Amino acid sequence: MKSLFVRSAVLLAASLLCVAARAGDAGSSATSPPAPAAQTRNPCAAAEYHQFDFWAGRWEVADGEGKPAGQSRVTLEERDCVLIERWTSVAGNTGTSMNFYDPLARTWTQQWVGLGLLLRMTGGLRDGSMVLEGPLQYMGTTRVTRLRGTWTALPDGRVRQHFQESADDGKTWQEWFDGYYRRVAQP
């Protein structure tokens, strides 16, 4: 499980680096031939790639009781093909997630590293909420559980991020985190 996650993360990172290198090479020479049409248009312009855009922004996060939990910055990057979350808890702990739509699998993927956790969830939009699920690995141990995350845009402009964990492969679920993201005004 661990090596599969690491291989997936390495392959994804290598792919993104290759795309970035090709984009840099395309504009580096005045004598370069014009880029083919497929390279000049946005490869992530279709609506499916933007189903999770409601989560983009700068956020203050509180738990279900209103107690501060941390701050999050979620940005659209790589020509709006990926959402990158940079999380900082109130204790100063950090984590990063990469969220992207896979057009061949027709699913959304989140890969998270931080807080002593590795996570790879997949899923998609269900009844207006983004619902992702997958293995949660507790680093430094052999413990692996299942995590389900649901992100819902609320009418007041907040986003609810609700996580549930299962230690019995989805038969039963326990509350793991219930967070409410409140948008921070841009400076």
Side-chain angles (χ1 to χ4, degrees):
M1 174 63 78
K2 180 180 178 181
S3 64
L4 176 62
F5 179 82
V6 171
R7 279 195 302 256
S8 297
V10 168
L11 288 172
L12 179 62
S15 298
L16 289 173
L17 287 173
C18 288
V19 169
R22 276 190 241 131
D25 290 344
S28 64
S29 171
T31 60
S32 296
Q39 289 179 350
T40 57
R41 66 179 171 82
N42 183 345
C44 301
E48 293 83 5
Y49 292 92
H50 301 283
Q51 293 171 334
F52 211 175
D53 285 6
F54 65 86
W55 192 34
R58 290 182 56 208
W59 306 93
E60 288 182 353
V61 183
D63 66 17
E65 297 172 358
K67 180 180 172 189
Q71 296 180 347
S72 185
R73 187 174 51 138
V74 182
T75 55
L76 284 161
E77 299 184 22
E78 299 301 328
R79 299 177 71 188
D80 296 345
C81 293
V82 63
L83 280 163
I84 302 291
E85 178 193 23
R86 291 169 182 86
W87 164 261
T88 304
S89 74
V90 292
N93 300 312
T94 62
T96 302
S97 73
M98 181 175 0
N99 306 268
F100 57 92
Y101 179 73
D102 180 338
L104 295 179
R106 294 183 165 191
T107 61
W108 274 88
T109 297
Q110 180 182 91
Q111 294 185 305
W112 163 273
V113 178
L115 307 173
L117 305 169
L118 293 176
L119 175 63
R120 179 180 169 89
M121 297 190 291
T122 58
L125 204 59
R126 260 193 261 161
D127 299 322
S129 294
M130 183 60 67
V131 180
L132 306 176
E133 188 176 311
L136 172 64
Q137 179 184 347
Y138 289 82
M139 296 167 63
T141 75
T142 58
R143 183 175 179 214
V144 178
T145 62
R146 190 146 195 88
L147 196 72
R148 178 172 53 213
T150 304
W151 290 258
T152 306
L154 301 175
D156 63 4
R158 294 179 304 154
V159 172
R160 180 183 185 203
Q161 181 188 59
H162 184 220
F163 286 129
Q164 296 173 300
E165 182 178 31
S166 175
D168 56 12
D169 204 27
K171 293 182 183 103
T172 60
W173 295 91
Q174 304 298 319
E175 189 84 11
W176 196 78
F177 178 72
D178 193 13
Y180 291 83
Y181 284 58
R182 186 181 57 80
R183 198 173 297 276
V184 175
Q186 297 294 332

